[in-house]
Amino acid sequence: MHHQVIHIHAEAPLKPALGAPCNGCGVCCLVEPCPVGMLISRRRKGACDVLVWSDDASAYRCGLLVDPDRFTAGRWMSWGPLRRLWLRWARRVIAAGRGCDADFAQDEP
């Protein structure tokens, strides 16, 4: 059994059950970036660079969806139609709104 330690914000909600609605726990993105996060983070292991903490929501959010300019500024996304297509693709790839797909257990601290 593989064991990995990740550092989670103290106010983050517990990981929901597999298939349950996402609650912003951040566990999936703290373990490894999704395919979109891999492109932005330029890594395949460890916490995604695009994951951001929201004090207002007391939850983690994908920075590409809540603040895309922060993570794509100065890149090829300045053209509106391409930007909209990229963000729609990113939502689909990270399965935004589809429910928890992190198939692993979270131990209590």
Side-chain angles (χ1 to χ4, degrees), residues 34-92:
C34 71
V36 177
M38 288 181 195
L39 290 173
I40 300 297
S41 299
R42 294 184 296 273
R43 71 169 90 162
R44 296 186 315 171
K45 296 182 181 187
C48 180
D49 288 343
V50 183
L51 187 65
V52 295
W53 176 256
S54 169
D55 285 324
D56 293 339
S58 292
Y60 285 100
R61 299 289 184 240
C62 177
L64 281 174
L65 302 182
V66 298
D67 190 7
D69 292 333
R70 176 177 167 195
F71 298 98
T72 59
R75 297 188 182 170
W76 42 269
M77 291 235 327
S78 60
W79 186 53
L82 183 57
R83 175 188 173 93
R84 285 189 296 278
L85 183 63
W86 163 262
L87 293 175
R88 187 170 54 181
W89 175 79
R91 280 186 200 92
R92 183 175 180 167

Side-chain angles (χ1 to χ4, degrees), residues 25-41:
C25 75
V27 172
C28 56
C29 301
L30 290 166
V31 170
E32 64 186 14
C34 71
V36 177
M38 288 181 195
L39 290 173
I40 300 297
S41 299

